[in-house]
Amino acid sequence: TRKAYVTNARFMKRYEDSIGKVLYISDIDGKFKDAFMKYCRDNGYPESTLKGQLQRLKAVCLFAESRGVAIHNQVKNLSKGIKKQASQNVFLTPSEIDDIIALELEDKLLETARDWLVISCFIGQRSVSLLKLTKDNIHTGSNTIRLTQVKTKASVVIPILPQVSAILKRYKGGFPPQLSKSTAHNYSLYNTAIKEVCRLAGINEMVKGRVTSVGDRKSEIVVKPKYMFVTSHIGRRSLCTNFYGKINQQLIQSVT
């Protein structure tokens, strides 16, 4: 939450720089909202970003009001009427995961990345937690994986499904090795490698996806081969999508 408000402050500073004016609480009204919405849309920000920034700004204004600062009565409507765009996130289907599992790879790095990718599709963890897993996280008595998530600090117990068990056996009862000794490089290597793995597995159906330009923060919906949209987060999406309606929803929530 703290990071979200720091991001909001930086966002508002960029907006101030664009209009050449310092904004005060008293400036936040309906006219501000209209101008801010135009700025965000002209610069290619998705509606979800626009809505999120206005929701946080509204919270800041209400906090100021609780400390005796006068605010405009239109502040309460800052985030109203803005609909978030439909998600364009892709996931791997069960048949695509089977194709990835069956893929014969000579490159050791790609093979390791493939194994981590398959594991992620059946345990649904963020890469920051996924790639830290070791043999110590395996509880053989209950045939589960136990970990504390890096981001949320939540304790999670995940059943070891056959697809994961087969991979663990190949690594003598443990997880695949890291792709790099450098933590930061490990994540970037993984993201790059799993795209190539999916390309080799023939996951090239043309699909819609959202891409963001890092330099100008703009995003847009484009049509590209599916493998090009594969990132480390695809394991979480795949688990949630593929198991939804097939197992207890609370179990999916507790795992992810």
Side-chain angles (χ1 to χ4, degrees):
T1 301
R2 182 176 297 165
K3 287 180 180 178
Y5 281 97
V6 169
T7 299
N8 180 244
R10 290 172 179 163
F11 199 103
M12 296 311 304
K13 182 63 172 66
R14 288 198 300 273
Y15 177 64
E16 285 183 327
D17 291 343
S18 75
I19 63 174
K21 176 184 177 182
V22 175
L23 291 169
Y24 295 88
I25 294 292
S26 58
D27 295 319
I28 309 304
D29 56 15
K31 289 183 179 179
F32 158 82
K33 178 181 177 179
D34 291 341
F36 184 74
M37 288 169 61
K38 185 178 186 304
Y39 164 80
C40 289
R41 288 166 177 163
D42 287 350
N43 283 277
Y45 291 104
E47 294 296 286
S48 57
T49 297
L50 167 56
K51 189 176 182 72
Q53 297 304 329
L54 287 175
Q55 285 173 332
R56 294 186 185 100
L57 180 61
K58 174 183 173 181
V60 170
C61 291
L62 294 175
F63 179 82
E65 183 183 39
S66 74
R67 296 300 187 271
V69 178
I71 66 171
H72 198 281
N73 61 10
Q74 292 176 339
V75 164
K76 64 179 182 296
N77 298 319
L78 273 184
S79 57
K80 285 186 177 180
I82 303 171
K83 294 183 179 179
K84 292 185 178 181
Q85 294 164 325
S87 173
Q88 297 292 333
N89 296 323
V90 299
F91 67 95
L92 296 171
T93 66
S95 62
E96 288 171 336
I97 296 171
D98 288 342
D99 290 341
I100 292 170
I101 292 173
L103 194 61
E104 293 185 8
L105 296 164
E106 296 181 2
D107 186 299
K108 193 66 180 176
L109 186 144
L110 290 181
E111 183 181 47
T112 302
R114 184 269 308 277
D115 291 341
W116 277 117
L117 175 59
V118 173
I119 290 172
S120 76
C121 291
F122 292 99
I123 69 172
Q125 299 306 299
R126 300 176 182 86
S127 60
V128 69
S129 296
L130 173 75
L131 298 178
K132 289 182 180 295
L133 293 173
T134 68
K135 199 170 185 177
D136 293 338
N137 294 107
I138 299 171
H139 190 265
T140 54
S142 61
N143 197 36
T144 58
I145 296 168
R146 302 185 176 192
L147 68 139
T148 300
Q149 292 181 336
V150 173
K151 182 176 179 179
T152 64
K153 309 303 179 188
S155 296
V156 180
V157 178
I158 308 166
I160 298 176
L161 297 177
Q163 295 88 341
V164 176
S165 180
I167 293 173
L168 298 181
K169 286 178 181 177
R170 291 210 309 272
Y171 292 95
K172 298 180 180 179
F175 286 94
Q178 300 295 298
L179 281 72
S180 170
K181 292 181 180 179
S182 164
T183 300
H185 194 214
N186 195 41
Y187 297 133
S188 62
L189 262 182
Y190 177 62
N191 265 304
T192 301
I194 58 178
K195 282 183 174 62
E196 178 63 9
V197 166
C198 290
R199 185 187 72 82
L200 293 172
I203 302 173
N204 51 20
E205 173 192 1
M206 299 300 288
V207 298
K208 287 183 180 181
R210 183 175 293 279
V211 296
T212 301
S213 173
V214 177
D216 56 14
R217 300 182 179 88
K218 292 182 180 179
S219 69
E220 58 180 340
I221 303 296
V222 298
V223 177
K224 290 185 177 182
K226 188 173 183 177
Y227 72 85
M228 297 186 71
F229 295 111
V230 171
T231 66
S232 60
H233 217 63
I234 200 166
R236 287 171 68 75
R237 298 192 200 108
S238 300
L239 179 138
C240 293
T241 306
N242 294 330
F243 286 94
Y244 182 78
K246 296 179 181 178
I247 63 175
N248 186 286
Q249 188 172 333
Q250 287 184 328
L251 177 58
I252 297 175
Q253 290 176 318
S254 67
V255 164
T256 55

